[in-house]
Amino acid sequence: MASYFFYLNAQPIYALLLFATTLVTYLGGYLIEKSKTGKWRKLFLFFTVGITILSLVFFKYYYFINQTIFDSLSWIGVRWEFPEVKILLPLGISYYTFQALGYVFDIYHEKIRTERNFGYYMLFVSFFPNIVSGPIERAGNMIPQYKLARSLDYSNVVQGLRWILWGYFTKLVIADGLGGYVDEMYMGVSYHSGLTLLFATILFSFQLYCDFSGYSNIAIGVSKILGFDVMQNFKRPYLFATSITDFWRRNHITLTKWLTDYIFTPLSIKYRNWGNVGLVTAVMITFLISGIWHGAAWTFVIYGLLHGTMLSFDAVNLRKRNKFEKKYGLKNRWWYIGFTGLLTYIFVCFSFVFFKSNSLKDAYIVLIHIFTFPGNLELGGSSARLGFSLATLFLVLLIDYRDEYYPTKFLIFENKFRIIRWSAYILVMLLILLLGNFESNKFIYFQF
Amino acid sequence: MNNYPETPMHSLKKLATILMLFLLFFFIADFLVAYFLGCGLKKYYGIENSAQILVNGASQVMLAVDKDLIERETGMRVAKYTREGVNISDRELMIHHFFSEKKSSAKIVVYGVDQFLFTDEGMSENSYTIFYPFMDNKEISDYIHTYTKEWYVYKIHQYIRCSRFDLYLVNSAIRGFLGDWSNKKKGEVNISSLKSNIANGSVRKINSKATNIATFQKTMQFLESKNITVVLLYIPYVDILENNDSKMQETKNIFKKYSSDHPAVRFIDLTYPASSEHSWYFDPNHLNPKGQKELTEIVISELKKISK
């Protein structure tokens, strides 16, 4: 009830769509389990996934498909398009659709049994901390937790509040602080120097990380207070990931796991006889879907394909790379880890040019400016906010470094001395109060 | 040591004690940090430096007047109590606030004026929030209370002192401690984009309100009652914008008439030479460091005449 109340409060009419998706996938799962033959199971799976995806395609991609058809037909001199429909993107549609589909796939693959109590399933699809921006959870993890009797637990509350506090800090102080500059520079890319656009792209990578991981941490914290353990979504993706494969193990983890389990693995099994060609095909299709999931625009298609290409390269050369690293004992060399981390990060930033740009033309201008017109670095209208955000970003990177290499040392929020813990809580609270941007109320990943 | 298991009441008491201690700790830290920042902010605005000259205005004046240069050239201490986005009522409150401080001894007030001084449109509706750090002052507290829509917002700012600051006020406080009043707006106005804005009609229009003119007169009367010489410093917009609205001259005439009727009030119009010097402007209505230096030299020569 609370979850539906939360959703109704934001977008009342689309609560019906949420309910319809829940009902269709619930019934689909039930029919798949009850089917005696593989043929019927496949048929019910096909219909359930088809209907669910259709609603996602209509609400999220209608305009994009219409525009693409219109542009393609214009090439051959035909002017035709679908009727214009004014649609507001339903909040969290990509997240709850994937979550509900995960339940159907798990039943199909007999990883879980259907949930008899429709109420628990409704709660799973609409669970309010996760619904708008993930993490994309699994029924096998969440539904058993809903069924456990629980009371308010002090240590859960404390841990949950820590997650929330850190989430608000990264979101309000860093992400929103950097966001003003990034938006200003990406608004009119033609007017800015290459150095400025390069700097804005680097900052965008951190804005995205702090924004999305901030929201995820708040969602994890709220769930923890209520007594539920939700999957982590980020594990220091920038600079610490030593390959693109490693990057996707650390970045938006729940989406990566979803795509791996339900798209990549079935495809790679299907194409297993094709060797490397099959592997590359599976990776490319998976990342094409990942790109399109992020947004209804050609820029996101390119973003997905770029990552697919790099991942394919990684996958095909994995053995050679391992052999090379073993031969020269590179795996634990700090400079090699740093170098590969930097290379990975540079590629990620390159792909973010497409992620952030409003159009392919803008992305092209950004890249041309970066490579041919360095110019001077412009600091924009609010250099003070930018300066404070960069200073606090340094703090986040330090903590990421600690978590990566010394996870049990130099603890701050978890320190055994209360005075240190409390000082840290208060410092972060005061930093949020003093430096937080309370005027910006957008989360980047809400739009997906 | 007692070996009895903890009862729910014990747990609750323990939790309440921890919570109370944490809150106490928080409020002490909050008070100390806000006090520290408040000191920096007062330094930045010159509220506690027994200044002989007060410069008051919005962002135009903030960027047009070089406090350090005036102090060096005239040998007089200057308080620059300026803030971006303030309207004429805020300005009145700033003047009252400045003179309510014990150390205030200014005898000259440089009061920035421009063609939009009496226009409400285009001004920030929540400019009163810049006074949050000074809400311990009764007059400021009442002012904020009048404009705050939700009671709890007022209460939060009243009890959690760090919430009175935002990033820009923190920045000003730090600049106050560092003694940095320099103009950071480097660069020049883009005239071609301004011309296209004018052609599109997307420029602000003058719409002087009688209530705002009355507030201006009230402020002047308050300063006259304190035997203060007032310099109405007219900061022009870049010429193509300055001459864009016929009501500009009407507004200017109000200042001229007021100064001719009141001997303690002087009007300095900087339209010439500033307005046509596009390289002095950062944007259509704000000066860059080059423009600031040129204009401050003119202000200094006027101040020297007054102080003779």
Side-chain angles (χ1 to χ4, degrees):
Chain A
M1 283 301 286
S3 292
Y4 265 81
F5 178 76
F6 175 80
Y7 201 84
L8 280 164
N9 207 24
Q11 285 185 325
I13 190 72
Y14 288 137
L16 289 174
L17 181 68
L18 171 66
F19 183 74
T21 306
T22 310
L23 193 63
V24 166
T25 47
Y26 182 75
L27 289 174
Y30 180 78
L31 291 170
I32 289 167
E33 194 179 68
K34 287 287 160 199
S35 301
K36 298 257 179 343
T37 64
K39 192 177 143 193
W40 280 103
R41 286 169 67 84
K42 263 191 184 156
L43 195 71
F44 284 128
L45 177 73
F46 178 78
F47 274 108
T48 311
V49 174
I51 294 168
T52 314
I53 291 285
L54 209 64
S55 78
L56 178 66
V57 168
F58 178 75
F59 283 98
K60 190 167 172 178
Y61 302 102
Y62 182 87
Y63 177 77
F64 173 63
I65 293 169
N66 199 10
Q67 189 64 40
T68 307
I69 291 172
F70 180 78
D71 290 345
S72 309
L73 290 177
S74 298
W75 270 50
I76 51 168
V78 179
R79 279 187 66 86
W80 183 83
E81 61 183 328
F82 287 122
E84 192 186 338
V85 184
K86 286 201 175 1
I87 314 166
L88 195 68
L89 184 67
L91 199 62
I93 187 168
S94 307
Y95 296 94
Y96 70 69
T97 303
F98 268 37
Q99 201 155 290
L101 285 177
Y103 168 80
V104 176
F105 287 132
D106 281 347
I107 289 172
Y108 180 77
H109 293 301
E110 295 179 359
K111 285 183 185 167
I112 56 166
R113 305 286 313 271
T114 49
E115 174 51 49
R116 300 289 154 195
N117 187 328
F118 183 60
Y120 283 132
Y121 182 65
M122 271 178 80
L123 177 59
F124 165 66
V125 180
S126 65
F127 188 53
F128 79 91
N130 296 18
I131 193 166
V132 287
S133 206
I136 302 168
E137 263 298 348
R138 302 298 175 88
N141 179 35
M142 293 309 289
I143 294 179
Q145 293 191 59
Y146 299 146
K147 292 178 179 173
L148 293 174
R150 62 191 69 248
S151 56
L152 209 61
D153 180 83
Y154 177 74
S155 67
N156 277 349
V157 172
V158 172
Q159 280 183 48
L161 288 174
R162 281 178 192 156
W163 281 104
I164 293 171
L165 186 63
W166 192 242
Y168 272 114
F169 176 71
T170 57
K171 164 67 184 155
L172 293 172
V173 178
I174 305 171
D176 290 349
L178 299 175
Y181 177 79
V182 174
D183 288 346
E184 189 184 337
M185 297 308 150
Y186 263 83
M187 194 75 85
V189 289
S190 317
Y191 302 109
H192 302 297
S193 68
L195 194 62
T196 305
L197 292 168
L198 176 67
F199 188 52
T201 308
I202 291 170
L203 294 190
F204 175 66
S205 71
F206 288 107
Q207 180 202 355
L208 196 65
Y209 171 47
C210 291
D211 185 281
F212 194 24
S213 69
Y215 181 81
S216 293
N217 288 343
I218 294 167
I220 292 168
V222 172
S223 305
K224 190 76 191 170
I225 290 173
L226 297 172
F228 304 112
D229 286 316
V230 172
M231 287 194 277
Q232 271 202 49
N233 225 2
F234 288 89
K235 210 177 144 196
R236 306 168 293 284
Y238 302 147
L239 299 169
F240 300 104
T242 53
S243 66
I244 288 297
T245 313
D246 191 20
F247 172 76
W248 282 104
R249 279 191 208 114
R250 294 161 173 268
N251 185 59
H252 205 168
I253 296 167
T254 54
L255 176 69
T256 309
K257 275 177 80 70
W258 195 99
L259 291 168
T260 307
D261 290 353
Y262 304 127
I263 309 284
F264 174 73
T265 307
L267 284 177
S268 55
I269 291 170
K270 194 176 174 186
Y271 301 136
R272 64 181 175 273
N273 295 330
W274 297 8
N276 277 346
V277 175
L279 181 66
V280 169
T281 310
V283 171
M284 291 305 281
I285 293 173
T286 306
F287 274 85
L288 180 65
I289 292 170
S290 166
I292 295 171
W293 180 91
H294 278 92
W298 285 106
T299 47
F300 289 107
V301 173
I302 301 290
Y303 169 76
L305 290 177
L306 275 173
H307 277 270
T309 308
M310 275 310 283
L311 247 121
S312 301
F313 181 80
D314 242 19
V316 170
N317 292 297
L318 184 66
R319 276 191 196 155
K320 282 183 198 164
R321 182 175 166 169
N322 281 342
K323 217 172 150 185
F324 177 78
E325 286 171 345
K326 207 174 172 184
K327 188 177 173 187
Y328 295 102
L330 297 171
K331 277 260 172 177
N332 297 319
R333 298 271 172 90
W334 68 266
W335 60 266
Y336 183 73
I337 295 169
F339 176 69
T340 48
L342 190 64
L343 272 188
T344 307
Y345 178 67
I346 290 170
F347 170 76
V348 170
C349 281
F350 175 75
S351 69
F352 279 156
V353 169
F354 292 91
F355 194 106
K356 177 64 186 165
S357 295
N358 294 321
S359 63
L360 285 179
K361 190 183 164 200
D362 274 10
Y364 173 76
I365 293 169
V366 172
L367 291 174
I368 288 291
H369 277 214
I370 288 175
F371 289 111
T372 62
F373 165 52
N376 294 323
L377 180 65
E378 303 150 48
L379 291 178
S382 178
S383 49
R385 185 170 286 286
L386 183 64
F388 283 119
S389 304
L390 287 175
T392 43
L393 175 63
F394 182 67
L395 187 72
V396 170
L397 289 177
L398 269 183
I399 287 176
D400 274 4
Y401 182 81
R402 190 272 324 262
D403 287 345
E404 185 72 21
Y405 297 112
Y406 308 99
T408 55
K409 289 181 179 174
F410 313 114
L411 298 175
I412 302 172
F413 279 2
E414 300 84 8
N415 198 289
K416 62 180 178 178
F417 298 110
R418 179 168 281 168
I419 185 77
I420 293 177
R421 284 198 313 267
W422 282 19
S423 302
Y425 299 151
I426 289 167
L427 177 71
V428 173
M429 285 162 83
L430 295 183
L431 282 174
I432 293 172
L433 281 174
L434 295 169
L435 308 179
N437 183 358
F438 296 95
E439 283 153 21
S440 162
N441 56 2
K442 66 167 188 184
F443 279 91
I444 296 175
Y445 265 71
F446 272 19
Q447 64 190 296
F448 300 139
Chain B
M1 285 288 286
N2 86 51
N3 293 320
Y4 295 108
E6 223 175 43
T7 63
M9 189 49 82
H10 274 117
S11 304
L12 209 63
K13 272 185 184 169
K14 196 174 145 190
L15 191 68
T17 314
I18 290 173
L19 197 67
M20 293 294 280
L21 271 172
F22 182 78
L23 285 176
L24 181 72
F25 213 61
F26 172 80
F27 280 112
I28 292 170
D30 174 60
F31 178 84
L32 293 174
V33 172
Y35 179 78
F36 175 76
L37 291 172
C39 291
L41 204 58
K42 284 185 173 178
K43 270 185 196 292
Y44 185 69
Y45 291 141
I47 292 172
E48 279 193 336
N49 74 353
S50 58
Q52 288 132 300
I53 301 170
L54 165 68
V55 178
N56 173 260
S59 54
Q60 285 97 324
V61 186
M62 182 195 285
L63 297 168
V65 177
D66 185 339
K67 166 188 150 80
D68 290 331
L69 192 60
I70 298 176
E71 287 184 340
R72 272 202 310 275
E73 298 275 323
T74 63
M76 292 190 278
R77 291 198 79 174
V78 177
K80 193 170 161 185
Y81 195 8
T82 58
R83 199 48 227 269
E84 54 270 75
V86 283
N87 59 39
I88 197 153
S89 305
D90 299 332
R91 303 268 303 273
E92 185 187 21
L93 184 65
M94 287 162 92
I95 299 270
H96 282 214
H97 176 215
F98 182 84
F99 286 101
S100 69
E101 291 290 328
K102 284 176 193 146
K103 287 186 181 174
S104 61
S105 55
K107 287 289 160 212
I108 302 170
V109 171
V110 177
Y111 188 89
V113 295
D114 63 71
Q115 52 177 314
F116 292 106
L117 187 70
F118 307 126
T119 304
D120 282 338
E121 290 84 1
M123 296 305 291
S124 165
E125 280 179 18
N126 60 354
S127 57
Y128 65 90
T129 57
I130 63 160
F131 295 109
Y132 277 140
F134 306 119
M135 72 188 288
D136 289 335
N137 176 303
K138 172 87 174 69
E139 192 179 0
I140 289 178
S141 175
D142 292 343
Y143 186 78
I144 292 171
H145 196 262
T146 312
Y147 286 100
T148 311
K149 285 177 189 136
E150 291 95 0
W151 64 270
Y152 62 88
V153 174
Y154 178 83
K155 287 289 170 196
I156 286 171
H157 288 95
Q158 192 177 16
Y159 295 120
I160 303 175
R161 286 171 172 263
C162 279
S163 71
R164 299 176 184 184
F165 292 83
D166 63 11
L167 185 134
Y168 299 101
L169 288 164
V170 172
N171 186 42
S172 301
I174 293 171
R175 290 183 71 172
F177 282 122
L178 297 174
D180 178 9
W181 286 272
S182 60
N183 180 343
K184 310 256 183 230
K185 300 283 183 192
K186 297 183 173 78
E188 284 181 24
V189 61
N190 185 338
I191 294 293
S192 56
S193 97
L194 180 62
K195 278 180 181 166
S196 72
N197 284 346
I198 293 170
N200 298 336
S202 51
V203 287
R204 203 174 159 199
K205 294 271 177 239
I206 298 172
N207 185 13
S208 296
K209 295 262 169 68
T211 48
N212 289 338
I213 297 172
T215 306
F216 166 75
Q217 287 168 341
K218 240 167 64 191
T219 309
M220 293 300 119
Q221 282 156 14
F222 172 79
L223 292 172
E224 283 172 76
S225 72
K226 291 194 167 290
N227 292 324
I228 287 166
T229 305
V230 179
V231 177
L232 298 178
L233 186 70
Y234 187 86
I235 313 283
Y237 281 40
V238 72
D239 53 5
I240 53 170
L241 204 62
E242 186 70 18
N243 305 325
N244 186 48
D245 198 324
S246 56
K247 288 182 184 165
M248 186 269 292
Q249 199 54 47
E250 285 175 31
T251 316
K252 229 185 224 183
N253 287 342
I254 296 172
F255 305 130
K256 279 183 186 164
K257 179 153 189 340
Y258 197 91
S259 68
S260 62
D261 292 348
H262 298 80
V265 179
R266 292 190 184 203
F267 179 60
I268 304 176
D269 184 359
L270 297 174
T271 308
Y272 176 80
S275 189
S276 58
E277 294 288 347
H278 299 166
S279 66
W280 291 7
Y281 285 83
F282 167 77
D283 66 21
N285 52 336
H286 296 108
L287 292 154
N288 58 25
K290 186 180 172 190
Q292 184 189 51
K293 188 174 179 298
E294 300 288 345
L295 256 65
T296 305
E297 296 287 359
I298 301 169
V299 175
I300 288 168
S301 65
E302 292 294 330
L303 288 173
K304 279 180 178 167
K305 282 183 213 162
I306 294 168
S307 57
K308 266 181 191 170

